Amino acid sequence: MSRRRLLARLSGTAAALFFAPPFVARVAAKGAPAVRMSDGTLTLEFDSGLHSRISHGNMVLTAMEPGEAIRLGDRVVDHFLLLDQTGGPISGVHGPGRAHHLRGTAGGAVEKRVSVTFLDRYPGLALLDISYGNTGDAPLSVTGWQAATHDLLSHPDGAWSFSGASYPDRRDWVQRVVPGFGQRNFMGMNAADYGGGTPVAVVWRRDAGLAVGHIDTVPRLVSLPVAGQPTGTRIAIAGDQPVMLAPGATLELPPVFVMVHQGDHFRPLDAYRRLMAERGLKAPVIPEPSYAPVWCAWGYGRDFSIAEVLTAMGKAKEIGLEWAVLDDGWQTSEGDWKLNRKKFPRGDADMKAFADQIKAGGMRPRLWLAPLAADPGTDLLRDHPDMLLLDKNGAAQNVSFWDAFTLCPAYPPVVDYFRGQIRRILGDWGFEGLKLDGQHLNGVAPCYNPAHNHARPEESYEKLQEFWKALYQEAMTINPNAVIEICPCGDSFAFHNIAGMNHTPASDPTSSWQIRLKGKTFKAMMGPSAPFAGDHVELSDRHNDFATHYGIGAIVSTKFTWPHDPVNTVDPLPPGGIALTPDREVLWRKWIALYRANMLPKGEYLGGLYDIGFDKPEGHAIRAGGQMHYAFYADSWAGPVTLRGLASGRHRLTDSFTGRSLGTVSGPVATIPGRFEHFLLVAATPIQENTAT
């Protein structure tokens, strides 16, 4: 019987296989490896049962353990007798490399094939192509699988983790691994309106780390669980959608990568970005206006008046800001997107006049929109109920913040409807940018609406990226310099949506720490000059932490009101309010001027120089304008501060915020005494040596 290919339809609503007691309790016997393969940085060893061990150089990072397994009903199969191995040089979209092919069998009923590919461009990284074939006479009921499963062995200093999944509690993406720590990191919906993410998980010690992810150009409903174990920190990729595997058929897992590295999650995510770009998925070219500093009218909430927005906008322009963003409240409802006639009595003419007033005042107008959300009772849902995303029981997917329902991004009439909104906002009204907002933007559930004729329910999830790309292309047709911001509130940003945006904010950060870790993550996923905004500074520590925005190369952003606090606002006001008082204005002006003078977001963020978990004080570095710019953060610090990445030779040091001289040092690494509260910013300028005789 000829072999049939059955592509895995991967869900992973639970990492059942990963956490299953029969698997967790099993420990592979330590035997001599039968196969050893290495690129000089990453070494993989397989024993005769196709269990594997990972090393970084000469440092063994994991025990010999069953890296891959398949679940047949309630039975876990993780031992496969090695039958043969082949290999040789390869060349493809990722350049030259070398592939190793292993084949094993479990009792003659299941055949496992593993291809391990090392790439010359990516030392320390291997691609894993894994498949399971039914070589028996009866169908096999596959109920789950897992791959690249390893425990990063314990270290006395503990471990840190990065997880790319979204949760409704808006937890940190980077967390210390403590006893009992565990996250399933499902890439689908983890709440009605929180889901999606970047399919990468990273765990690291002070001396080395391990990363796992998939590099399919279509998002997959898999899990990337991370869990603290007695022997170390476990990491894996897993799926649990049932598949009936007929005799002769093959189950192919998504393409996986495994990487060893030093430092935090930056290097693995940077490698992931480059791999995905070579596969055709990358961020678009960034227009210059994407780096302009931002003022947003959300400080006034939904009950803003045009007069107060224009008044505060004038002050924003005066202190050096360039974007004026009109937020939620201009519309009658989410879904219909009709103009609120109390604010725009002449309709389109008034909205166009408003955008023109912003431009006449020397600023750029951007408008808020929440695509894919539609309120119950709207004309849109009355006239087009077919647009709804429905679950298998016929229920709509809820968007909790607006009490709205989700529309299906894979249904062509939905795409056309929102392309029309883009034409109206950018073309007819003359706005120069869009703030696309909402926690529901990051991922959607599988859609069972019979009106959509989906080939598979998962099309809604897989084609979300195409929805964003269609809107982006529509915007670029109208204005090639338009700024398209996607703000998936509190989610862990879904990398597959990256081709549909050229600006992203910290997206409702809960702390300055979140702003910084999100900034570091985006600089890895979008590139070292990514246009990442710190979101409203009022959301940061002390409600004024521009030092966090500036030091990580984030675009500065604020939602101040002027000349007084708003009367009504959705967000509770922090102590002291958000009005731009005279004292605040002095501080805001200083930071905005410093930002504009150095434009660090356009520099090269050097994320590999500092480990956000282990290095104290927390450090960040950017190369820009012929200087090295350093930022260090701690509640309070008195001790040495290390400057890494300096060019050879002498450098003059200056405190970027105060202008105070900090002396001179020699590169490439220097240590200076540091004493600060909250932050220290250091600019290192090369000293031109006089070589004249």
Side-chain angles (χ1 to χ4, degrees):
M1 185 176 187
S2 63
R3 176 156 304 198
R4 298 186 300 275
R5 295 293 181 187
L6 180 63
L7 180 64
R9 307 304 184 193
L10 310 168
S11 67
T13 53
L17 185 58
F18 181 84
F19 289 110
F23 177 75
V24 172
R26 171 172 286 181
V27 178
K30 295 183 178 179
V35 179
R36 184 179 188 275
M37 54 191 74
S38 179
D39 66 358
T41 302
L42 166 63
T43 298
L44 279 168
E45 296 172 296
F46 290 85
D47 67 12
S48 59
L50 284 186
H51 295 174
S52 55
R53 177 168 60 205
I54 295 176
S55 298
H56 185 319
N58 295 322
M59 186 190 312
V60 176
L61 297 184
T62 75
M64 187 72 78
E65 51 200 352
E68 291 78 44
I70 187 170
R71 183 183 289 276
L72 303 177
D74 294 330
R75 182 168 62 98
V76 174
V77 180
D78 60 14
H79 186 94
F80 294 82
L81 178 64
L82 176 62
L83 296 176
D84 54 52
Q85 57 170 307
T86 59
I90 57 95
S91 184
V93 295
H94 303 304
R98 187 170 186 84
H100 304 262
H101 310 290
L102 308 177
R103 185 171 66 96
T105 184
V110 184
E111 181 181 88
K112 172 183 173 180
R113 291 177 180 262
V114 180
S115 292
V116 180
T117 302
F118 294 100
L119 302 168
D120 293 356
R121 296 176 186 168
Y122 298 90
L125 182 148
L127 306 183
L128 305 181
D129 292 294
I130 303 161
S131 66
Y132 294 95
N134 183 349
T135 52
D137 298 326
L140 294 175
S141 177
V142 179
T143 54
W145 58 265
Q146 70 182 49
T149 307
H150 291 280
D151 288 1
L152 177 67
L153 296 174
S154 296
H155 186 280
D157 293 340
W160 284 80
S161 68
F162 164 82
S163 298
S166 300
Y167 289 91
D169 61 8
R170 302 186 176 189
R171 66 191 62 175
D172 294 341
W173 305 351
V174 172
Q175 299 177 72
R176 181 181 283 278
V177 179
V178 297
F181 176 85
Q183 289 190 177
R184 295 214 318 262
N185 297 323
F186 178 46
M187 289 292 110
M189 302 307 294
N190 292 308
D193 47 0
Y194 285 88
T198 294
V200 177
V202 187
V203 294
W204 69 95
R205 311 181 313 205
R206 184 180 294 279
D207 56 349
L210 186 61
V212 170
H214 84 71
I215 55 171
D216 202 332
T217 55
V218 175
R220 295 297 182 192
L221 293 172
V222 299
S223 299
L224 291 115
V226 174
Q229 301 289 315
T231 57
T233 304
R234 182 160 297 174
I235 192 170
I237 183 168
D240 66 356
Q241 181 170 359
V243 176
M244 187 60 68
L245 203 60
T250 297
L251 173 68
E252 294 180 340
L253 306 191
V256 171
F257 80 88
V258 61
M259 180 177 175
V260 296
H261 63 96
Q262 291 182 311
D264 58 29
H265 63 302
F266 182 87
R267 287 190 176 100
L269 284 178
D270 179 71
Y272 171 74
R273 170 183 62 84
R274 290 182 284 123
L275 283 167
M276 296 301 283
E278 290 166 357
R279 298 169 78 85
L281 183 58
K282 60 182 178 180
V285 175
I286 305 303
E288 185 69 23
S290 191
Y291 294 103
V294 181
W295 174 77
C296 182
W298 184 237
Y300 290 104
R302 295 191 182 100
D303 294 330
F304 67 83
S305 72
I306 298 300
E308 61 189 359
V309 170
L310 291 175
T311 298
M313 182 208 77
K315 175 58 72 172
K317 168 63 177 175
E318 181 185 323
I319 66 173
L321 300 169
E322 297 183 42
W323 279 103
V325 183
L326 184 63
D327 214 291
D328 187 2
W330 60 267
Q331 76 287 359
T332 57
S333 63
E334 286 77 40
D336 287 344
W337 303 110
K338 297 177 181 178
L339 287 169
N340 184 334
R341 290 303 178 115
K342 292 182 180 179
K343 298 172 181 176
F344 303 96
R346 296 186 304 144
D348 289 352
D350 276 347
M351 183 58 107
K352 184 179 185 306
F354 174 75
D356 287 343
Q357 282 181 281
I358 293 176
K359 287 184 276 191
M363 297 193 78
R364 300 177 181 274
R366 191 184 308 179
L367 188 64
W368 176 91
L369 183 71
L372 298 179
D375 296 339
T378 52
D379 293 345
L380 181 73
L381 291 186
R382 181 196 65 204
D383 298 338
H384 300 284
D386 56 300
M387 289 186 173
L388 282 170
L389 187 151
L390 302 178
D391 67 15
K392 61 179 62 179
N393 298 315
Q397 181 178 340
N398 187 43
V399 182
S400 60
F401 187 78
W402 293 292
D403 296 321
F405 296 135
T406 301
L407 306 179
C408 179
Y411 186 44
V414 172
V415 181
D416 292 341
Y417 177 72
F418 283 102
R419 289 179 68 170
Q421 298 302 322
I422 302 298
R423 290 193 294 272
R424 182 171 65 137
I425 295 169
L426 299 185
D428 299 343
W429 295 344
F431 282 84
E432 297 178 4
L434 283 160
K435 176 183 178 181
L436 306 178
D437 190 40
Q439 65 265 28
H440 64 293
L441 307 185
N442 215 46
V444 298
C447 179
Y448 293 83
N449 192 326
H452 299 178
N453 296 313
H454 295 311
R456 296 175 296 106
E458 293 83 4
E459 280 190 344
S460 56
Y461 175 80
E462 295 169 359
K463 292 186 176 182
L464 177 61
Q465 60 180 336
E466 296 180 20
F467 173 83
W468 295 123
K469 193 171 182 179
L471 268 57
Y472 185 83
Q473 290 172 340
E474 190 71 40
M476 293 301 103
T477 299
I478 299 166
N479 179 358
N481 287 314
V483 168
I484 307 302
E485 169 190 354
I486 293 183
C487 179
C489 310
D491 287 302
S492 185
F493 189 87
F495 182 88
H496 288 85
N497 297 337
I498 207 164
M501 44 79 74
N502 55 28
H503 182 98
T504 188
S507 190
D508 287 358
T510 60
S511 65
S512 290
W513 159 251
Q514 275 203 354
I515 297 171
R516 297 194 297 270
L517 72 85
K518 288 181 177 186
K520 181 161 201 171
T521 302
F522 273 110
K523 297 289 184 176
M525 292 196 303
M526 286 186 68
S529 302
F532 167 79
D535 210 333
H536 310 141
V537 74
E538 291 80 5
L539 298 175
S540 67
D541 296 352
R542 304 174 302 283
H543 317 296
N544 66 359
D545 190 8
F546 278 117
T548 277
H549 290 204
Y550 177 85
I552 63 168
I555 299 154
V556 295
S557 172
T558 174
K559 62 173 182 178
F560 71 78
T561 59
W562 188 80
H564 50 71
D565 279 319
V567 176
N568 298 304
T569 182
V570 174
D571 294 338
L573 294 178
I578 61 172
L580 192 68
T581 62
D583 287 345
R584 285 186 184 138
E585 182 174 339
V586 171
L587 186 62
W588 264 235
R589 283 179 181 271
K590 182 172 184 177
W591 281 113
I592 294 166
L594 189 61
Y595 172 84
R596 293 170 63 91
N598 292 310
M599 292 304 294
L600 297 190
K602 297 168 72 173
E604 181 186 4
Y605 180 83
L606 302 171
L609 291 181
Y610 294 95
D611 183 327
I612 200 170
F614 286 105
D615 281 338
K616 303 300 177 191
E618 176 191 334
H620 302 263
I622 300 170
R623 184 183 293 118
Q627 296 177 306
M628 284 291 291
H629 295 265
Y630 297 93
F632 300 97
Y633 302 97
D635 290 338
S636 180
W637 183 261
V641 172
T642 302
L643 309 180
R644 301 172 184 152
L646 292 166
S648 298
R650 301 284 292 168
H651 300 263
R652 181 177 297 107
L653 305 182
T654 306
D655 184 313
S656 301
F657 184 65
T658 66
R660 180 171 61 94
S661 173
L662 300 177
T664 61
V665 296
S666 295
V669 178
T671 299
I672 62 173
R675 183 180 294 274
F676 62 88
E677 302 290 325
H678 305 309
F679 69 90
L680 172 66
L681 304 177
V682 179
T685 305
I687 298 173
Q688 300 298 322
E689 302 290 352
N690 185 359
T691 58
T693 58

